[in-house]
C-alpha cells in the first residue's frame, strides 16, 4: 500500500491518538521529519472548545471554531498519516493499536491494526453521568460540535412547541424551562449564553410566550464555579441572579426522565428534600469520565490499578507501568485540572521531548560512526577532526539529556457569565488578579480570539460576533 511506501524504515513510528488540545499542540511542536507519524482520531478536525457554548445559541457558527486536521498536517514535513477512526484497544505488549472506522460511510475494511514504536494517548475524556438513571437517554451534553448543534435545534423546538396553537399552560411552562445540571464553567457559560439568547432575540421574536422562559442552573455543591476565588464566585452568583437565572445549589440530581429531573435538596437546617422539576431542555454538564479505551488500557497494566481518573503518568508524561507510551490532556493524571491549558502545555512539552530524543539518537549514531572510523583507522573524517566533532556532539548531548520534567504554568481561568460580563482569575507576575464585569468580558474576548487556532478561525469568529450583534442570532431551526 502507498502508506507503507511512504514510511521510512529507518525512523520510528510515532502514533498519536486524538486531535484535541493535547495532540494538536504536540503535532504543532513536533519536527515530524524525525518520525513516521500516524494520527488517529474519529474527528478530522481540531475543536476550539472555549467558544463551544457560544455555538449553542448561534452567537458563533460552529465551523468558525473547527480547524481541519489535514490542513494542520499539510504544513508538516516527512511522512504524516491521518486516519479518521477510533482507536478501540491498545495492546502494549505487542505494541499495536486497533482502529475502527465508526463513521456513517464504511468501506470494505472497517478495522485494522497500527504497529507503533512510540504511542501518545490524547483521547480526552467522555461525559460523566455517575450512572444516574435517564441521563444518557434524555439530556444533551456539551462537549462536541454535534452536542452544540443538537442544543441549538432543541432550544427552538421547545420554543416553537410551546407557541403551538392552544398549547396547554403547564406544558408551556415545562417546554420553556431550560435546565442545566452542573455549575462548573461549562454549565455556567452555557446558562449565560442561553439567557442572552432569550433576552436579545427570543423575547423579540416570540413575545407571546416569552415571560415563561426560564433558565435553572443546578449544582450539588454549595456554590457554582467552585474552582474560582470566593470573590468571583459571589460576583458570578449575583450576576446570574440579576440575569434571572435560577441557581439551585446544594441540589443533587438523582434521576432523569423524559420530562422531569428529580433532585435531592439539602435545606438550610440540613434536612433533605426530594424535588421534581419539569423541563423542556436538559443540558448535562457534570464534568469528565474516563473513556473506555483508557479504562481498558488501565486494566491491563498493574501499575495503574489505583488510578481512577485516567492514566497515571510520571513527570515526563510516560504512562506508569509502560514503556514507549505517553499520555496527555484529560485522559492523563499528572496532578493538574483537566483543562485545555494543561493539555496544550503537555502536548507542547512532549513535542520538545520527542524532538530532543530524535536529536540524541542522531548525535549518538554520529558519535558511534566517528569512533568506529577512528578505531579502525578507516579513513573518512581525519582523526583530529573526528575527536573534535565527538567532543562537540557530547557537549550538545549533555545539554539535550538535561531536559527538565514537565511543569505546568497556570496562566489563569476565565469564564463568560452572560450579559456581556466575564470573570477572570489571572496569574500576573507573581500574584493573582481577580476581576469580573464588562471590561473582563472584553479581555475574555480578546484572549480567546488570540488563542484561536488559525487566522481563518479568528476572522470567522469576529465576523460571527459582528453578525449576531448587527442582525440578531438566527433562530431558524435546521
Ligand atoms: P480533547 O480536546 O477532548 O480531544 C480528544 C481527542 O481525542 C478528540 O479529537 C477526540 O475525537 C479524540 N478521541 C476520542 N476517542 C478516541 C479514540 N478512541 N481514539 C482516537 N481518538 C479519540 N479548558 C480551558 O482551559 N479553557 C476553557 O475555556 C475551556 N472551555 C471549555 C468549554 C467546554 C464547553 C468544554 C467541554 C471544555 C472546555 N475546556 C476548557 C476544557 C478543555 O476543552 C479540555 O480540557 C481539553 O479539550 C482537553 O484536551 P484533550 O486533548 O485531552 O482532549
Ligand atoms: P466540572 O467538573 O468543572 O463541574 C461539574 C459540576 O457538576 C461540579 O461542580 C459538580 O459538583 C456538579 N455535579 C456533579 N454531579 C451533579 C449532580 N448529580 N447534580 C448536580 N450537580 C452535579 O465540569 P465542567 O464545567 O464540564 O468542566 C470540565 C473541565 O473543563 C474543568 O476542568 C473545567 O475547568 C474545564 N472547563 C473550563 C472552562 C473555562 O475555563 N472557561 C470552561 C469549560 C470547562
Amino acid at each position: 500500500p502507498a502508506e507503507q511506501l511512504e514510511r521510512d524504515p529507518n525512523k520510528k513510528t510515532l502514533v498519536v491518538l486524538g486531535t484535541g488540545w493535547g495532540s494538536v499542540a504536540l503535532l504543532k511542536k513536533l519536527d515530524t521529519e524525525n518520525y513516521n507519524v500516524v494520527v488517529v482520531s474519529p474527528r478530522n478536525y481540531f475543536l476550539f472548545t472555549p467558544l463551544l457554548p457560544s455555538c449553542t445559541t448561534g452567537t458563533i457558527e460552529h465551523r468558525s471554531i473547527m480547524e481541519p486536521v489535514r490542513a494542520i498536517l499539510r504544513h508538516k514535513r516527512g511522512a504524516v498519516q491521518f486516519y479518521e477512526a477510533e482507536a478501540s484497544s491498545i495492546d502494549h505488549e505487542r505494541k499495536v493499536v486497533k482502529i475502527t472506522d465508526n463513521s456513517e460511510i464504511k468501506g470494505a475494511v472497517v478495522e485494522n491494526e497500527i504497529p507503533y514504536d512510540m504511542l501518545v494517548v490524547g483521547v480526552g475524556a467522555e461525559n460523566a453521568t455517575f450512572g444516574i438513571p435517564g441521563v444518557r437517554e434524555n439530556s444533551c451534553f456539551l462537549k462536541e460540535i454535534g452536542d452544540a448543534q443538537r442544543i441549538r435545534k432543541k432550544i427552538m423546538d421547545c420554543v416553537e412547541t410551546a407557541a403551538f396553537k392552544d398549547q396547554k399552560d403547564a406544558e408551556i411552562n415545562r417546554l420553556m424551562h431550560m435546565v442545566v445540571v452542573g455549575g462548573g464553567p461549562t454549565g455556567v457559560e452555557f446558562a449565560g449564553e442561553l439567557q442572552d439568547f432569550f433576552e436579545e432575540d427570543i423575547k423579540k421574536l416570540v413575545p407571546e410566550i416569552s415571560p415563561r422562559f426560564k433558565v435553572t442552573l443546578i449544582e450539588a455543591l454549595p456554590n457554582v464555579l467552585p474552582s474560582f476565588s470566593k470573590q468571583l464566585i459571589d460576583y458570578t452568583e449575583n450576576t446570574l441572579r440579576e440575569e434571572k437565572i435560577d441557581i439551585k445549589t446544594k441540589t443533587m440530581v438523582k434521576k432523569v426522565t423524559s420530562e422531569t429531573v428529580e433532585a435531592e435538596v439539602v435545606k438550610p437546617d440540613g434536612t433533605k428534600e426530594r424535588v421534581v422539576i419539569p423541563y423542556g431542555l436538559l443540558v448535562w454538564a457534570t464534568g469528565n469520565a474516563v473513556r473506555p479505551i483508557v479504562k481498558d488500557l488501565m486494566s491491563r497494566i498493574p501499575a495503574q490499578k489505583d488510578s481512577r481518573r485516567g492514566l497515571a503518568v510520571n513527570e515526563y508524561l510516560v504512562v506508569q507501568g509502560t514503556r514507549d507510551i505517553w499520555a496527555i490532556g484529560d485522559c492523563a493524571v499528572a496532578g493538574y485540572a483537566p483543562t485545555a491549558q494543561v493539555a496544550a502545555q503537555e502536548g507542547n512539552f512532549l513535542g520538545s521531548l520527542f524532538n530532543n530524543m530524535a536529536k540524541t539518537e542522531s548525535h549518538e549514531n554520529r558519535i558511534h560512526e566517528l569512533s568506529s572510523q577512528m578505531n579502525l583507522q578507516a579513513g573518512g573524517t581525519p582523526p583530529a577532526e573526528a575527536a573534535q566533532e565527538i567532543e562537540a556532539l557530547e557537549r550538545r548531548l549533555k545539554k539535550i539529556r538535561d531536559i527538565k520534567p514537565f511543569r505546568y504554568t497556570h496562566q489563569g481561568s476565565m469564564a463568560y457569565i452572560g450579559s456581556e460580563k466575564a470573570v477572570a482569575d489571572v496569574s500576573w507576575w507573581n500574584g493573582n488578579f481577580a476581576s469580573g464585569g464588562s471590561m473582563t468580558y472584553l479581555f475574555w474576548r480578546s484572549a480567546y480570539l488570540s488563542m484561536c487556532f488559525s487566522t481563518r478561525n479568528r476572522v470567522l469568529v469576529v465576523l460571527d460576533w459582528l453578525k449576531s450583534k448587527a442582525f440578531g442570532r438566527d433562530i431558524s431551526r435546521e
Side-chain angles (χ1 to χ4, degrees), residues 19 40 47 193 224 230 257 301 332 397 434 455 472:
T19 47
V40 177
L47 173 63
E193 293 278 354
V224 300
K230 171 84 178 75
T257 70
I301 304 166
L397 267 178
T455 309

Side-chain angles (χ1 to χ4, degrees), residues 130 132 181-187 189 218-221 226-228 251-254 284-288 337-339 413-415 448:
F130 307 103
I132 296 170
V181 182
T186 304
E189 289 192 324
I218 301 180
E219 167 57 51
L221 297 174
S227 59
F228 282 66
T251 305
M252 182 178 273
V253 174
K254 297 278 186 181
W284 192 264
T286 62
N288 292 347
T339 66
S413 312
M414 283 188 287
Y448 280 160

Side-chain angles (χ1 to χ4, degrees), residues 158-171:
C158 285
V159 172
E160 297 295 3
T161 307
F164 192 78
K165 187 168 185 302
D166 299 333
Q167 188 57 275
K168 297 266 183 303
D169 213 42
E171 218 29 15

Side-chain angles (χ1 to χ4, degrees), residues 176-196:
M176 295 291 274
H177 191 199
M178 314 278 152
V179 172
V180 185
V181 182
T186 304
V188 166
E189 289 192 324
F190 170 67
E193 293 278 354
L194 190 53
Q195 191 67 31
D196 286 356

Side-chain angles (χ1 to χ4, degrees), residues 43-58:
R43 207 171 77 183
N44 79 344
Y45 56 88
F46 165 75
L47 173 63
F48 187 77
T49 47
L51 292 179
L52 189 62
S54 304
C55 296
T56 58
T57 56

Side-chain angles (χ1 to χ4, degrees), residues 50 84 219 390 468:
E84 193 194 74
E219 167 57 51
I390 290 176
S468 51

Side-chain angles (χ1 to χ4, degrees), residues 17-23 40-43 45 49-50 52-53 85-87 122-125 142-143 186 189 291 293 328-331 338-341 343 414 448:
L17 305 183
T19 47
W21 278 96
S23 302
V40 177
S41 176
R43 207 171 77 183
Y45 56 88
T49 47
L52 189 62
E86 213 165 282
V123 296
L142 181 50
K143 197 164 190 64
T186 304
E189 289 192 324
R291 284 201 193 277
I293 184 179
I328 49 178
D330 286 2
C331 66
T339 66
Q341 257 188 90
M414 283 188 287
Y448 280 160

